[in-house]
Structures are given as structure tokens and as C-alpha cells.
């Protein structure tokens, strides 16, 4: 009997389908669900990114002379003028 109920349901839906304009395309419920899931995913990613960016320390640590001897220059004094 499941075959008969499916065909009966289709016969009731066919007149509704004929009333629709065939040139008009709508996303429907599935399109809304896909869009909503994508929007929630982007929202979650943005929240996660903000949390991770809050943990980043942008301040540089000052270099000590033991770490960077080449940065003092070969002359050791003031830069040459001229």
C-alpha cells in the first residue's frame, strides 16, 4: 500500500506544480538551510579568530647585545657623514 499513498500524494501535488511559473526559480527551504548553515559557520570562524587574535602578543622583545652583535655595526661609532 505505500505505493498507492505516494501516487495519491503526487496527484494532489501536480495541480500545485502547474500553477507555478516555470521561468521563476526560487531557492526554497533547502537553499535557506544551506545559507543558514554557512552563515553559522562563518560566525563561528569569526568568533574563533577573534579569540585567537586576542591571545597574540604584538610587542617585540628588545634585542640584547649577546643576541645581535652584527646590529651594532662595524665601526661601532657614529655613522659616517659626507
Amino acid at each position: 500500500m505505500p505505493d498507492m499513498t505516494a501516487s495519491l500524494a503526487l496527484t494532489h501535488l501536480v495541480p500545485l506544480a502547474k500553477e507555478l511559473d516555470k521561468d521563476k526559480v526560487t531557492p526554497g527551504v533547502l537553499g535557506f538551510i544551506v545559507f543558514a548553515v554557512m552563515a553559522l559557520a562563518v560566525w563561528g570562524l569569526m568568533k574563533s579568530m577573534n579569540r585567537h587574535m586576542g591571545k597574540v602578543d604584538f610587542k617585540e622583545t628588545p634585542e640584547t647585545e649577546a643576541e645581535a652583535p652584527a646590529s651594532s655595526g662595524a665601526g661601532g661609532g657614529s655613522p659616517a657623514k659626507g
Side-chain angles (χ1 to χ4, degrees):
M1 280 302 191
D3 242 359
M4 188 165 175
T5 56
S7 64
L8 185 63
L10 286 176
T11 56
H12 286 296
L13 291 176
V14 169
L16 293 175
K18 288 181 181 177
E19 292 176 13
L20 293 176
D21 185 11
K22 294 188 181 206
D23 295 329
K24 185 179 179 182
V25 179
T26 60
V29 175
L30 181 64
F32 173 75
I33 291 171
V34 169
F35 183 78
V37 167
M38 289 175 60
L40 285 172
V42 169
W43 178 76
L45 286 171
M46 293 295 287
K47 237 181 122 103
S48 174
M49 184 193 68
N50 281 336
R51 237 182 294 134
H52 282 85
M53 292 298 284
K55 293 178 184 177
V56 174
D57 182 24
F58 288 106
K59 295 178 182 168
E60 293 184 16
T61 57
E63 293 182 4
T64 61
E65 290 190 27
E67 290 178 356
S71 65
S72 63
S78 64
K81 295 181 183 177

